[in-house]
Amino acid sequence: MRRIISLFFTVASLAINGQEVDYDSIYFLKNCIVLDARESIDEEREDLIYKWQFGDGEVDGGETVEHCYDSLGTYQVVLSIIDPSIVSQFQDEWIFEITISEDYLIGFDIDHSDKTISCKSKLTHDSNPDDMEFFWDYGDLQFGIGDEVSHTYDSAGNYTIRLLAMVTEGDETIELSASQTIKIQ
């Protein structure tokens, strides 16, 4: 007799963009998830019907499915496994929550006195990037590199300081930017 043993999912709030969880049946790629229920049965059962409800009105079928969410938020995912020979579910539905959230937030702090500024990047992230680089545009055709920089302006005026962060995670590079306008007197 073929029977279901258990369904292996991590039932928790999770982040996106490649972050792995305890069991690799769920992982994230941008705002997309891959759900895999193949390990949930003790024998091959090609006749079982897997029905996934993703909590955003979308439904899909199959042992393994990929789904992309249009917006950030917490979603209730429901899996039903149906045995067509008895037209019934094996057990109750499996219900768990997935949270799709921003992995990276960028900003920077500026301290200035007279015509000299000091800038420090603020990058928060949920995953462990392989590499991070920071590039600064001071708004006066001068540029800097590093997570902390300083610069002296030649003249007074309003300047827009731009920070570009390039975050490498695996073979993917993510570009983030932030800007602030300051007045130098």
Side-chain angles (χ1 to χ4, degrees):
M1 169 172 255
R2 297 173 193 208
R3 59 189 155 78
I4 205 161
I5 296 175
S6 63
L7 182 67
F8 294 100
F9 287 108
T10 301
V11 182
S13 294
L14 305 170
I16 61 172
N17 206 359
Q19 181 175 342
E20 294 184 9
V21 294
D22 294 336
Y23 179 71
D24 63 357
S25 65
I26 301 175
Y27 63 93
F28 294 91
L29 191 60
K30 296 274 182 200
N31 287 359
C32 300
I33 58 171
V34 175
L35 301 167
D36 186 344
R38 287 179 292 188
E39 299 294 322
S40 66
I41 55 175
D42 64 347
E43 296 181 36
E44 291 292 320
R45 288 284 312 262
E46 293 181 16
D47 62 330
L48 294 177
I49 298 169
Y50 293 78
K51 180 182 173 188
W52 300 89
Q53 299 172 51
F54 299 105
D56 62 354
E58 297 292 322
V59 177
D60 200 356
E63 288 179 308
T64 303
V65 295
E66 180 177 339
H67 180 70
C68 297
Y69 290 93
D70 292 332
S71 59
L72 305 178
T74 300
Y75 299 91
Q76 187 176 59
V77 177
V78 179
L79 170 63
S80 301
I81 301 177
I82 301 165
D83 184 343
S85 64
I86 58 173
V87 191
S88 177
Q89 290 180 200
F90 275 114
Q91 297 179 9
D92 293 333
E93 295 176 323
W94 290 271
I95 301 172
F96 53 99
E97 285 188 348
I98 291 179
T99 298
I100 304 295
S101 63
E102 294 183 36
D103 260 2
Y104 295 95
L105 297 174
I106 184 119
F108 58 93
D109 292 326
I110 300 174
D111 290 324
H112 73 281
S113 64
D114 296 323
K115 293 182 181 177
T116 301
I117 62 166
S118 297
C119 302
K120 181 176 181 178
S121 65
K122 296 189 303 184
L123 177 66
T124 58
H125 48 88
D126 291 336
S127 59
N128 294 318
D130 299 325
D131 189 33
M132 295 183 289
E133 295 180 281
F134 300 92
F135 303 93
W136 299 85
D137 176 350
Y138 301 115
D140 63 350
L141 301 177
Q142 299 295 312
F143 306 93
I145 298 175
D147 62 334
E148 293 185 47
V149 295
S150 62
H151 176 68
T152 302
Y153 290 93
D154 292 332
S155 59
N158 291 327
Y159 297 94
T160 299
I161 301 167
R162 292 180 179 85
L163 167 62
L164 171 66
M166 296 182 72
V167 180
T168 304
E169 199 172 299
D171 60 354
E172 181 178 17
T173 299
I174 301 162
E175 293 182 2
L176 305 162
S177 64
S179 63
Q180 293 184 42
T181 301
I182 62 167
K183 183 173 186 166
I184 300 293
Q185 299 181 1

